[in-house]
Amino acid sequence: MTLYSFLLLFLLWVCLPNFCCPEILFRRTSVPQQRILGTRVSRTDGKILHRQKRGWMWNQFFLLEEYTGSDYQYVGKLHSDQDKGDGSLKYILSGDGAGTLFIIDEKTGDIHATRRIDREEKAFYTLRAQAINRRTLRPVEPESEFVIKIHDINDNEPTFPEEIYTATVPEMSVVGTSVVQVTATDADDPSYGNSARVIYSILQGQPYFSVEPETGIIRTALPNMNRENREQYQVVIQAKDMGGQMGGLSGTTTVNITLTDVNDNPPRFPQNTIHLRVLESSPVGTAIGSVKATDADTGKNAEVEYRIIDGDGTDMFDIITEKDTQEGIITVKKPLDYESRRLYTLKVEAENTHVDPRFYYLGPFKDTTIVKISIEDVDEPPVFSRSSYLFEVHEDIEVGTIIGTVMARDPDSTSSPIRFSLDRHTDLDRIFNIHSGNGSLYTSKPLDRELSQWHNLTVIAAEINNPKEMTRVAVFVRILDVNDNAPQFAVFYDTFVCENARPGQLIQTISAVDKDDPLGGQKFFFSLAAVNPNFTVQDNEDNTARILTRKNGFNRHEISTYLLPVVISDNDYPIQSSTGTLTIRVCACDGQGNMQSCSAEALLLPAGLSTGALIAILLCIIILLVIVVLFAALKRQRKKEPLILSKEDIRDNIVSYNDEGGGEEDTQAFDIGTLRNPASIEEKKLRRDIIPETLFIPRRTPTAPDNTDVRDFINERLKEHDLDPTAPPYDSLATYAYEGNDSVAESLSSLESGTTEGDQNYDYLREWGPRFNKLAEMYGGGESDKDC
């Protein structure tokens, strides 16, 4: 804060009433003799001056915001009439900020503010004061309420809600036209002094704009501001408090102002005369060129409508306004002909569609130009005399007859000769042909209306000097009918007559059709080719006829089928007729005339057994035979024993039971009864992987008595196996899980020889029989494995 600001604040402090010596303000109490007084205390030469009591009291204090002193700011003093000065009373303060922001000396009643106060945070504080007896803590005065109001100082500058404003104003606006209003706010107290009184001024944007000091409304300051000369303006507005006086605080904002367009510029053609060229072969609707008038305005103010207002080509050309590009597109309105006219002149006008009456004085908002269109010659293809041709011809004409002539000419001034031809894609059967020189169409094959009533041909006319220039025309040939087809039966008739038929009974109604189409419609006549004793025909005269019987009863065993020729004739010229034969079967019928059977062989079949039943019976028999064959095959398959090799039959194995029992009494390890009763052992199975040379019958081993020693029993079994030719001669280790005395021969196998130390003598193997000869040869007399 500047020195000037401090001096100003000091002058305000001195000049304002009740500021140099603040006093507390109270309400009157209900007890007139006892009340809390606000005293004004001043110190002069150390003496305390007391004012006399008044009949009224203030009810609020004033406190200056933003106090910058080092001590607490003094607010005021509380004093009660009951206070004798002996310290018996205690002053209590409560309410907003009591004890924190505001503190009171409970003995003297002096109130101080403990910190700086910002009025913008809170403008006033409501407090309650009371005096109580310090000893009894009873109030000696009723509680009084007072307000401490914060006096404002100018410590807030004006601020705008937006840093940058955007505004628009129409160009050519009169002086003083309102553009936009800007408003700044000041947080200071508007009701006290000029701290919040804001004045606006313009710092940038002169002389084009001005601002009202009190309201902040920005207005135009120059007349006829033209957007086409300058469109954007930047204006800086300042807001200053203290009524704009020196020392006030200020803030600024920027306003970007854009001049919007108005229709103050007429359209103008850049040229007075425009030349265009177009080929005479250009079809109707072809765009041949464009014209454009320029307009300095934008948007709808620059929209232009084009029209042809005069000239000798108004009926030959048209103009269309293109909205996107604002151009006038000139198009062909009618076919052009270089030989007829070679130059056209048009007068084209361009006019604004949206005209502002305020700017009529600037001139007419339209312009004209002259458009000259030159027609260029092209080699045109031939032109037929008609757009299409229709020829009618009877189907019975002779081959080579001319059915019509097409005509074409060259529209160019050179008049080149024409050559005619047929487009063979439209006449694949080559029924017609054309004379290339004169365009005469003639037949090259016979015509048949019943095959094709219409022929759609295309004739091509091409210049002889320039064959690429050609024209096509459609020729429709209608074939007229001639009565050249005889009538026939309309459908195939399946006719029968009952054996019990009576004379005059109707058995069939017949009709006919004819491929011809006479102008008077179809009319048919029916008759028999010869007199028939069995049947007759009766014409109904409506293109149908009835077949009637002439005798009583028919026999299908004698004659099962009758053939009846019927003659059908038409009534056109020349008359055509044909003979159709009806096949009439003789059938057995019931009493109502319903057919039951027409075949004579059906009488030989047994009653109640149809062909369908016989087929069903045959199928059942075949299915039963298939089931029997499948059952027999399955049964035979079950009898075959599969070739399964058990693990026990695989030779060259070491069978180790690996079970060390506890002697004869150990029945859990091995069932000793099995050794004593060999009959319970399963019969020996022969090897299936080797074919035995001789089939030996297994011997029955006698049963050993229960008191036989197991050792003797095993020796006997060992001898039997040595002499048994059917026993497998393989080296194996069989442990019977019996712990007896040590064997004299020790181990019977050579597999445990690796666990012994030193050389071993295997000569005793020769004494064990023929089954151990192989082992004796391998180990006897040789070196031990250890020597190897």
Side-chain angles (χ1 to χ4, degrees), residues 390-675:
L390 173 63
F391 300 135
E392 293 184 345
V393 59
H394 287 88
E395 61 178 327
D396 60 345
I397 63 172
E398 296 180 357
V399 175
T401 302
I402 295 176
I403 63 173
T405 302
V406 297
M407 299 179 63
R409 64 177 182 87
D410 184 7
D412 297 323
S413 57
T414 56
S415 186
S416 174
I418 306 300
R419 176 179 295 169
F420 299 93
S421 62
L422 268 176
D423 185 353
R424 287 303 174 184
H425 292 90
T426 60
D427 184 27
L428 297 176
D429 296 332
R430 295 183 177 270
I431 299 175
F432 302 94
N433 212 336
I434 190 172
H435 290 288
S436 61
N438 57 19
S440 297
L441 277 170
Y442 60 92
T443 59
S444 58
K445 289 184 179 180
L447 303 178
D448 189 353
R449 189 199 68 86
E450 287 69 37
L451 294 179
S452 179
Q453 186 177 356
W454 286 90
H455 295 273
N456 301 325
L457 308 176
T458 298
V459 176
I460 302 173
E463 296 181 7
I464 295 178
N465 298 333
N466 187 7
K468 293 182 178 180
E469 295 297 332
M470 61 179 64
T471 306
R472 298 169 179 265
V473 70
V475 179
F476 306 101
V477 181
R478 180 182 180 183
I479 310 301
L480 302 178
D481 184 43
V482 175
N483 191 23
D484 57 349
N485 291 280
Q488 298 176 350
F489 283 128
V491 296
F492 174 77
Y493 294 101
D494 185 11
T495 307
F496 71 93
V497 62
C498 296
E499 288 183 314
N500 55 358
R502 297 178 181 180
Q505 184 173 346
L506 175 65
I507 62 172
Q508 185 69 59
T509 299
I510 60 175
S511 61
V513 293
D514 194 337
K515 295 181 180 180
D516 296 322
D517 187 15
L519 297 177
Q522 300 284 2
K523 180 64 178 178
F524 302 119
F525 302 96
F526 300 90
S527 61
L528 294 179
V531 178
N532 192 298
N534 301 312
F535 305 97
T536 185
V537 61
Q538 182 177 352
D539 197 333
N540 295 328
E541 298 183 358
D542 59 354
N543 292 339
T544 63
R546 297 185 296 169
I547 306 299
L548 306 175
T549 58
R550 296 188 64 181
K551 70 176 185 177
N552 189 7
F554 294 85
N555 191 342
R556 57 177 167 163
H557 298 291
E558 295 178 358
I559 301 177
S560 61
T561 303
Y562 292 91
L563 300 178
L564 182 63
V566 178
V567 179
I568 309 172
S569 304
D570 58 21
N571 66 338
D572 202 1
Y573 181 83
I575 295 176
Q576 301 288 340
S577 63
S578 66
T579 300
T581 301
L582 283 177
T583 301
I584 304 173
R585 296 179 297 157
V586 181
C587 301
C589 302
D590 56 12
Q592 286 76 25
N594 298 320
M595 181 182 64
Q596 290 183 338
S597 177
C598 296
S599 177
E601 289 78 4
L603 297 175
L604 302 177
L605 295 176
L609 192 60
S610 63
T611 304
L614 292 175
I615 294 174
I617 293 172
L618 182 59
L619 288 176
C620 291
I621 294 173
I622 293 173
I623 291 172
L624 290 174
L625 289 175
V626 171
I627 292 173
V628 171
V629 171
L630 290 176
F631 181 80
L634 291 174
K635 189 173 181 181
R636 183 178 180 183
Q637 185 70 20
R638 290 178 181 178
K639 291 182 179 181
K640 293 182 178 181
E641 183 178 359
L643 182 59
I644 301 176
L645 299 177
S646 177
K647 293 181 179 180
E648 290 78 10
D649 294 331
I650 304 301
R651 297 303 187 256
D652 294 335
N653 285 340
I654 298 176
V655 181
S656 176
Y657 292 95
N658 198 21
D659 187 300
E660 189 173 344
E664 295 182 2
E665 296 181 359
D666 188 1
T667 59
Q668 297 296 330
F670 187 79
D671 188 2
I672 197 65
T674 305
L675 291 175

Side-chain angles (χ1 to χ4, degrees), residues 61 64 137 187 394 406 438 533 676 719 729:
F61 286 125
L64 192 65
L137 300 180
H394 287 88
V406 297
N438 57 19
R676 298 182 181 276
K719 292 179 180 179

Side-chain angles (χ1 to χ4, degrees), residues 273-280 288 311-317 336-346 370-377:
T273 304
I274 300 174
H275 295 273
L276 299 176
R277 295 179 179 273
V278 60
L279 297 175
E280 64 170 335
I288 64 176
D312 55 10
T314 56
D315 58 338
M316 301 298 296
F317 300 95
L336 305 174
D337 188 7
Y338 172 81
E339 288 72 25
S340 300
R341 188 169 189 139
R342 303 182 182 182
L343 180 65
Y344 292 92
T345 302
L346 303 175
I370 301 300
V371 180
K372 293 185 178 181
I373 303 174
S374 300
I375 310 301
E376 296 184 351
D377 186 29

Side-chain angles (χ1 to χ4, degrees), residues 222-280:
L222 284 180
N224 301 327
M225 287 194 295
N226 197 340
R227 184 198 64 85
E228 287 72 33
N229 295 332
R230 183 177 176 180
E231 185 177 5
Q232 299 288 338
Y233 295 87
Q234 189 176 73
V235 179
V236 178
I237 301 297
Q238 181 190 61
K240 191 173 184 180
D241 59 11
M242 297 298 292
Q245 299 297 323
M246 185 178 296
L249 304 178
S250 64
T252 61
T253 187
T254 301
V255 182
N256 293 326
I257 301 176
T258 302
L259 296 183
T260 58
D261 185 58
V262 297
N263 192 7
D264 59 341
N265 294 280
R268 291 289 180 262
F269 281 105
Q271 298 174 345
N272 295 328
T273 304
I274 300 174
H275 295 273
L276 299 176
R277 295 179 179 273
V278 60
L279 297 175
E280 64 170 335

